[in-house]
Amino acid sequence: MSASMKAEATDSNAIAGMARAARIAARTLAQSPTALRDKALWAAANALREQSSAILEANAKDLAAYTGSEAFRDRLTLTAERVEGMAKGLEDMADLSDPVGRILSEWTRPNGLKIRRVATPIGVLGVIYESRPNVGADAAGLCIKSGNAVILRGGSESFHSAQAIHKAMAAGLEAAGLPVDAVQVAPSADRKHVADMLAASGLIDLIIPRGGKSLVERVQNEARIPVLAHAEGLCHTYIHAAAEPQMARRVLANAKMRRPGICGATETLLIDNAIAPELLPEIVSDLRDLGCDFRADERARHIVPGLEPAADEDFATEWLAPVLSVAVVDGVEAALAHIARYGSGHTEAIITSDEAVATRFLNGTDSAVVMWNASTQFCDGGEFGFGAEIGIATGRIHARGPVGLEQLTTFRYEVLGTGQTRP
């Protein structure tokens, strides 16, 4: 019986027992050689492939009980290809440089003291997520590679999937001779486990919520420990007057409709008045063919009659569905003003061939990620070369954008002397 199982048997707060076991495991993991952590990731990837049928059976149970929206059903659904994607993500992480022990900076003082800032693991993380079971594998892999222990609490709708994926991650740790308590999952779908994680001051070092607005708000309101959170993914694509029309149509179709239910999907199109009369009808036709609906302002409806009118709150809505808000704007400053009013600080994109305008746009928004001539759906840890991500952070402290290996480290100072004493 593992330390976490023993703790659960004697402690009415299962999370507290798991966190104590995780803290012990974290010390071992943080001091383990890079090769061992990489071995655990490779072994876990193999276990995911070997256990793919069992994982898909568990996912089928979750899907059979699910009664929510189609967008969230897509997030919940696992396929053989998606299981392979999880395995490949772990292998990609293993191939990345070790973030632990990096010398971030170093200098020598006049008295001869050498001081350096060195990257270290944060410690024990708590990850609370909804719907997407692959988050469990991504989070576990990133934590193993970065030397952190993690306690995972997936949504009740993905409980069976999360348990099955965890078995593969535990098999990887065991194969590498690392403590299996480095990756744990809540033992049931009881919502009490969320409250216990949020109250685990001194046991869990950082909480990372990954889900909808209500989850993130609850975590921020109730947590007694630091939170690395993201707001809604209310992403904008602005098509400037100097955009190449075919590029704009292609990029926007991908940004909206590749996977409408992810946080990096474009939710609002801002199109320049100078090109809207010619280009907007084509864009609407493209997206309608892909099954998209619209909420449009008066100027857009004048160009394309029959579009459903947009209420003010529509521009503040993260649809997570094949629905696109549309506004016609007069230039880049108007686009930036719209984003400042309605945006969530996640990801914004501009389509233009004018470098000066693109630079103004990139510098003019304070969102975590800004893009030029690219789909907002590239806001993803894997696409950024991080192997995977544990979430998209939109705050201003510690990390912003996709949270990968480097963002899961903190640092310590090392002071190297030759016998100096302070006068």
Side-chain angles (χ1 to χ4, degrees):
M1 181 181 290
S2 73
S4 62
M5 294 173 64
K6 291 177 182 177
E8 183 180 340
T10 59
D11 193 331
S12 60
N13 182 340
I15 295 298
M18 294 167 65
R20 284 191 282 269
R23 189 156 295 282
I24 295 170
R27 288 197 291 269
T28 299
L29 197 64
Q31 298 169 28
S32 64
T34 305
L36 272 188
R37 282 176 275 133
D38 289 345
K39 181 179 179 180
L41 294 175
W42 282 99
N46 289 335
L48 283 171
R49 293 187 177 103
E50 292 170 358
Q51 298 172 26
S52 178
S53 294
I55 292 170
L56 294 178
E57 288 176 10
N59 185 244
K61 291 181 182 179
D62 291 329
L63 289 170
Y66 185 70
T67 59
S69 71
E70 285 305 308
F72 278 86
R73 177 176 287 275
D74 176 64
R75 289 185 172 201
L76 177 60
T77 300
L78 290 177
T79 62
E81 291 75 19
R82 289 184 180 181
V83 174
E84 173 59 28
M86 288 190 287
K88 183 63 167 57
L90 295 179
E91 293 172 342
D92 289 344
M93 290 179 218
D95 287 338
L96 294 173
S97 299
D98 189 349
V100 179
R102 290 174 297 126
I103 297 177
L104 304 175
S105 62
E106 56 185 333
W107 60 96
T108 301
R109 298 291 295 146
N111 60 7
L113 285 177
K114 294 182 179 180
I115 302 175
R116 60 193 182 197
R117 186 184 301 121
V118 181
T120 61
I122 291 171
V124 178
L125 309 185
V127 178
I128 303 170
Y129 60 98
E130 296 175 325
S131 299
R132 295 176 65 181
N134 62 293
V135 170
D138 292 347
L142 287 167
C143 286
I144 291 169
K145 179 75 176 190
S146 59
N148 294 289
V150 64
I151 297 173
L152 301 164
R153 200 284 186 181
S156 58
E157 68 279 359
S158 61
F159 176 74
H160 295 98
S161 304
Q163 296 289 323
I165 291 169
H166 173 253
K167 288 182 181 179
M169 301 308 304
L173 288 164
E174 190 170 18
L178 292 171
V180 293
D181 284 328
V183 176
Q184 301 176 64
V185 293
S188 73
D190 191 339
R191 291 176 63 87
K192 179 180 183 295
H193 297 313
V194 174
D196 290 340
M197 290 175 71
L198 301 181
S201 178
L203 295 174
I204 296 176
D205 298 298
L206 180 68
I207 290 286
I208 303 177
R210 185 162 179 181
K213 183 177 181 179
S214 60
L215 170 66
V216 174
E217 287 182 344
R218 179 192 174 188
V219 169
Q220 291 176 318
N221 290 336
E222 297 181 17
R224 295 174 55 197
I225 52 184
V227 175
L228 183 62
H230 72 168
E232 296 173 285
L234 216 165
C235 307
H236 299 76
T237 294
Y238 167 48
I239 300 180
H240 177 248
E244 197 285 308
Q246 296 307 312
M247 175 197 291
R249 293 170 64 181
R250 184 177 68 254
V251 170
L252 179 66
N254 181 270
K256 179 64 214 176
M257 296 301 293
R258 173 186 167 270
R259 291 188 68 186
I262 67 172
C263 63
T266 287
E267 302 289 23
T268 297
L269 164 65
L270 304 174
I271 185 166
D272 204 290
N273 183 53
I275 58 169
E278 294 78 24
L279 187 56
L280 184 57
E282 295 178 327
I283 287 173
V284 169
S285 177
D286 292 342
L287 295 185
R288 273 181 171 161
D289 288 346
L290 296 172
C292 189
D293 198 2
F294 303 88
R295 303 291 185 273
D297 71 358
E298 184 176 351
R299 298 171 80 181
R301 288 187 293 112
H302 179 74
I303 295 169
V304 185
L307 295 179
E308 185 169 338
D312 189 64
E313 59 265 25
D314 290 331
F315 289 110
T317 297
E318 182 186 23
W319 296 109
L320 297 173
V323 179
L324 182 68
S325 301
V326 182
V328 176
V329 296
D330 295 311
V332 65
E333 297 304 327
L336 290 171
H338 183 105
I339 292 169
R341 178 177 179 184
Y342 295 105
S344 64
H346 193 291
T347 301
E348 326 299 348
I350 181 172
I351 311 299
T352 185
S353 59
D354 188 321
E355 183 175 357
V357 171
T359 300
R360 172 63 188 127
F361 184 88
L362 297 176
N363 293 334
T365 173
D366 61 359
S367 295
V369 178
V370 285
M371 300 183 174
W372 177 15
N373 290 343
S375 166
T376 56
Q377 297 216 9
F378 278 109
C379 184
D380 174 86
E383 296 296 332
F384 275 37
F386 296 171
E389 70 187 38
I390 208 166
I392 307 291
T394 55
R396 299 180 179 278
I397 304 299
H398 179 67
R400 301 194 80 195
V403 178
L405 293 172
E406 292 185 11
Q407 292 76 24
L408 294 182
T409 61
T410 182
F411 57 83
R412 66 170 180 268
Y413 287 101
E414 296 180 351
V415 181
L416 312 179
T418 54
Q420 289 91 336
T421 59
R422 184 171 177 176

